[in-house]
Amino acid sequence: MYLQLRQRLRTVSLGLLSCLFLMSPAQAGLLRERLQERFAERHAATAENTTENDEFADTSVTSNSLPAGVRVIRNLAYGADAKQRLDVYLPTHPLTNAPVIFMVHGGAWRTGDKAMSNVVDNKIARWVPEGIVFISINYRLLPQADPLLQAQDVATALAYAQQHATQWGADAHQFVLMGHSAGAHLVSLLAADPTLATRQGAQPWLGTVSLDSAAYDIPRIMAAKHYRFYDKAFGSDPAYWQAASPLQQLKAQPTAFLAICSTQRPDKPCDQARDFVTQAKSLQISASLQPEPLTHKEINQQLGLSNAYTQQVETFLAGLSQLLCQRIVPDKATHCFRN
C-alpha cells in the first residue's frame, strides 16, 4: 500500500513537471502561483486548523484519566442544543468561594471539543487541586452557528456557570475567561464588548486570557490575502466583519486582558495581538502582550506544565484578585494583588 502511494505521488509530480515544460512562461507562472497558494492554504491548516485536528486525535479526558484529587461533572446543559454543554472539574475536597477558569476550545470555529486533552489535561492537573474550579465548554459550530452566535453561546454558558457557581463551591464574581485559537477569538470578542455577555445574563468577570488568536482585526484579515477557513467563518459582508472583530468592537471597560501569541506561526498573530493590546491601553484597559516561542498547538498544550510560560500566566492570574492569588501555589506566583 505504501509503495503504491509513493508511486502515485511520483506519477503526479512527473505529470506536473511535464505540464510546466509544455506551458508558456506566463502559464507556468500562473500554475506555480496557484500551487504556492494551495501549499500556503495547507500550511495555514497546520497553524490554525490541522494543528487543532491533531489535538482531536488525542484521548479525551475521562473519569478514569483524571489526576489525583480531581473529579468532574460532565455535560451540564446550558441550552437546548446538544452542543450547548459544559464540564466542571473540581477538587475532591469541598470548596468555598473558589475562583473559576472558564475555558473555550478552538478548532477554526467548525470543530473541537471541551474534553480534548490539549484543552484540559495540564490545566486541571495544575490548578484544580489548588482549589480552582475549571469549566470547559462546548458551543455550536459552523455551519450551524457563525462566530457571533458562537460568542452568544459562550456568554450563555458563562451566565449559566455563574448562576450555578455556589453549587460547586465557587464564587460567581471570581471568573476568568480563557480560550485557545477560535476560542481565543470568542473570549476576546466578549472582553472587547462585555455587553455581548451581559445581554445573555452574564455578570462581569475578572479578566481574560487569549491563547494565540490571530483574529483580532477581521476586516484587516478579509481585505488581504487570507486562509480559506476565514471565508467559511466570516463570509463576505463587511458589516459582519466589523461586528465580529474584537478590535473594532473594543470599548472602555475594566476587565484585565492577557494576549498570548506564538512567534512561530507564519501568519504572525503577535502583530494583531499587539495592535489590540495597544488600543486597549489607549482606553485605559489593563492589557498585556506575552509572545511565546511556541507553536500554536504548544501554546494550548503546555499551559499548566512547570515552565516559565505557565508561571507568567499565573502571575497575571494572581494579580486579578486576592482570592485567586491565594489559590495559586505560592512558589508558582511572583506577586499577589493587594487591595
Side-chain angles (χ1 to χ4, degrees):
M1 183 71 179
Y2 173 71
L3 292 176
Q4 290 175 345
L5 180 59
R6 286 190 62 184
Q7 182 61 40
R8 289 180 64 185
L9 289 172
R10 184 170 180 268
T11 301
V12 171
S13 299
L14 290 173
L16 288 172
L17 287 173
S18 299
C19 289
L20 286 171
F21 281 120
L22 293 173
M23 289 178 175
S24 68
Q27 290 173 323
L30 288 173
L31 179 58
R32 279 195 297 269
E33 182 178 346
R34 181 57 185 153
L35 289 172
Q36 289 170 352
E37 288 177 356
R38 293 293 297 274
F39 176 79
E41 288 166 0
R42 294 178 70 87
H43 191 68
T46 300
E48 181 81 20
N49 188 12
T50 298
T51 298
E52 302 275 358
N53 290 335
D54 290 343
E55 294 174 353
F56 305 152
D58 293 338
T59 302
S60 294
V61 174
T62 67
S63 59
N64 293 327
S65 62
L66 291 173
V70 177
R71 63 188 178 95
V72 61
I73 306 170
R74 294 196 185 278
N75 294 318
L76 295 176
Y78 66 86
D81 191 87
K83 279 290 187 181
Q84 294 172 319
R85 300 291 184 269
L86 57 84
D87 296 339
V88 182
Y89 295 86
L90 302 159
T92 53
H93 59 78
L95 291 173
T96 303
N97 297 326
V100 179
I101 293 176
F102 183 91
M103 180 71 192
V104 183
H105 71 76
W109 299 276
R110 69 174 184 264
T111 191
D113 189 79
K114 58 184 169 53
M116 285 163 45
S117 61
N118 280 351
V119 175
V120 297
D121 275 3
N122 293 326
K123 301 175 186 71
I124 64 172
R126 178 91 169 189
W127 293 320
V128 174
E130 307 305 331
I132 297 174
V133 174
F134 188 89
I135 297 175
S136 186
I137 76 161
N138 276 347
Y139 50 95
R140 290 171 296 169
L141 301 169
L142 293 171
Q144 180 185 6
D146 62 37
L148 283 180
L149 284 176
Q150 293 175 14
Q152 181 175 306
D153 276 5
V154 174
T156 303
L158 174 62
Y160 172 92
Q162 290 173 328
Q163 290 161 11
H164 293 81
T166 56
Q167 297 178 14
W168 312 316
D171 187 335
H173 303 288
Q174 294 285 323
F175 274 61
V176 178
L177 300 194
M178 181 179 289
H180 175 246
S181 192
H185 162 260
L186 297 176
V187 298
S188 297
L189 186 58
L190 296 183
D193 182 5
T195 64
L196 296 173
T198 57
R199 285 201 295 266
Q200 305 305 317
Q203 303 176 42
W205 57 97
L206 295 176
T208 304
V209 180
S210 173
L211 302 175
D212 206 32
S213 172
Y216 290 100
D217 189 346
I218 306 303
R220 172 180 166 185
I221 292 170
M222 304 307 288
K225 192 172 182 179
H226 56 267
Y227 303 137
R228 283 186 180 180
F229 58 80
Y230 285 120
D231 294 316
K232 295 177 181 178
F234 298 105
S236 59
D237 182 1
Y240 185 87
W241 301 345
Q242 292 275 338
S245 181
L247 184 63
Q248 277 68 36
Q249 296 304 314
L250 186 59
K251 298 173 174 61
Q253 41 82 14
T255 304
F257 190 88
L258 175 61
I260 297 166
C261 58
S262 166
T263 61
Q264 306 300 305
R265 285 175 59 174
D267 53 344
K268 300 181 179 179
C270 291
D271 291 350
Q272 286 196 42
R274 185 175 295 106
D275 290 346
F276 184 85
V277 167
T278 299
Q279 180 66 16
K281 288 181 175 179
S282 74
L283 296 173
Q284 307 304 310
I285 298 169
S286 175
S288 54
L289 180 71
Q290 184 176 326
E292 290 290 340
L294 300 169
T295 66
H296 182 64
K297 179 178 179 179
E298 289 168 343
I299 286 210
N300 197 26
Q301 184 182 51
Q302 293 193 16
L303 183 58
L305 297 179
S306 294
N307 53 36
Y309 163 43
T310 296
Q311 290 170 3
Q312 284 184 275
V313 174
E314 289 179 331
T315 297
F316 172 80
L317 296 175
L320 295 177
S321 76
Q322 187 69 32
L323 180 59
L324 249 174
C325 185
Q326 291 168 353
R327 300 299 172 101
I328 300 233
V329 177
D331 63 1
K332 296 177 189 171
T334 58
H335 72 275
C336 284
F337 179 87
R338 291 288 182 268
N339 290 318

